[in-house]
Amino acid sequence: CKFVNEIASGIDEKKMVLSRIVPIELRIYERKGAMMEWHVDDALYDPEQIEIIFTVENDSDCLTMWELPKNNNQNNSSTDMERIEVETDPNSAILLKAGPSGTPHFVSSLKSGRRSILKFVYIEEDAVFLDGADKHVKQFTCSRRSNKQKKRKRR
């Protein structure tokens, strides 16, 4: 949390905290072809959250890419963007801003190896959870196993 606050202090003077609503997400890329298309993370809070992608392990051939405005240009047209691509090392982190002014990012298709990440959502201490944002959180709250257990109880 101290690290996030030090990084985010250049953005705003607000204190950043780990979201209590959005769970920490574990993603494992191990199937050939696993990837993530270019996208910007949806805003779940006002003001928008910062998402931290922490690489736990990576012996894959995946590249993580993101685009930033060239020379601090906030225009965000595709010609004014600089593309960065990395093979993320274990114990490394990438911080991405969500929402309309967020950071476009992409993970290339897995051909070999395995990549595991943890995704954390940090918010300003007084951030407000947006109406309708719960649909993004619900996908992480129920596992297949717990659904099967519920079905068994009903019989």
Side-chain angles (χ1 to χ4, degrees):
C1 206
K2 183 178 178 182
F3 172 73
V4 176
N5 279 296
E6 287 176 17
I7 297 293
S9 66
I11 300 168
D12 201 338
E13 296 298 320
K14 301 275 183 166
K15 181 179 177 188
M16 302 294 289
V17 295
L18 184 63
S19 169
R20 292 182 181 194
I21 297 173
V22 182
I24 297 169
E25 178 186 350
L26 170 64
R27 290 188 184 169
I28 299 172
Y29 297 81
E30 58 187 356
R31 283 194 223 143
K32 189 174 182 179
M35 65 173 298
M36 186 167 293
E37 294 287 346
W38 279 103
H39 71 287
V40 173
D41 292 323
D42 293 329
L44 305 176
Y45 287 89
D46 181 19
E48 293 97 346
Q49 73 273 12
I50 302 271
E51 301 200 1
I52 300 175
I53 313 307
F54 179 81
T55 302
V56 177
E57 65 175 332
N58 187 9
D59 65 1
S60 76
D61 57 351
C62 291
L63 292 175
T64 300
M65 301 177 212
W66 64 93
E67 292 182 336
L68 297 173
K70 289 182 182 176
N71 303 322
N72 293 327
N73 181 351
Q74 297 302 317
N75 186 4
N76 284 3
S77 73
S78 60
T79 58
D80 294 330
M81 301 295 279
E82 174 185 6
R83 182 169 290 173
I84 297 144
E85 58 182 60
V86 297
E87 290 182 14
T88 55
D89 292 325
N91 297 320
S92 66
I94 298 172
L95 281 70
L96 301 169
K97 184 177 180 184
S101 63
T103 310
H105 55 285
F106 167 88
V107 178
S108 68
S109 180
L110 177 81
K111 294 177 189 78
S112 66
R114 175 183 160 113
R115 177 175 178 258
S116 301
I117 64 158
L118 292 172
K119 183 175 179 179
F120 302 85
V121 171
Y122 273 82
I123 59 173
E124 289 185 12
E125 196 169 36
D126 58 352
V128 176
F129 192 66
L130 298 173
D131 287 336
D134 57 333
K135 68 182 178 187
H136 297 283
V137 176
K138 285 181 184 175
Q139 63 184 323
F140 306 112
T141 57
C142 295
S143 70
R144 289 182 189 150
R145 186 175 180 187
S146 63
N147 286 339
K148 287 179 183 176
Q149 288 173 343
K150 287 178 188 175
K151 287 179 185 175
R152 285 187 194 135
K153 289 179 183 176
R154 290 181 190 156
R155 291 182 181 181

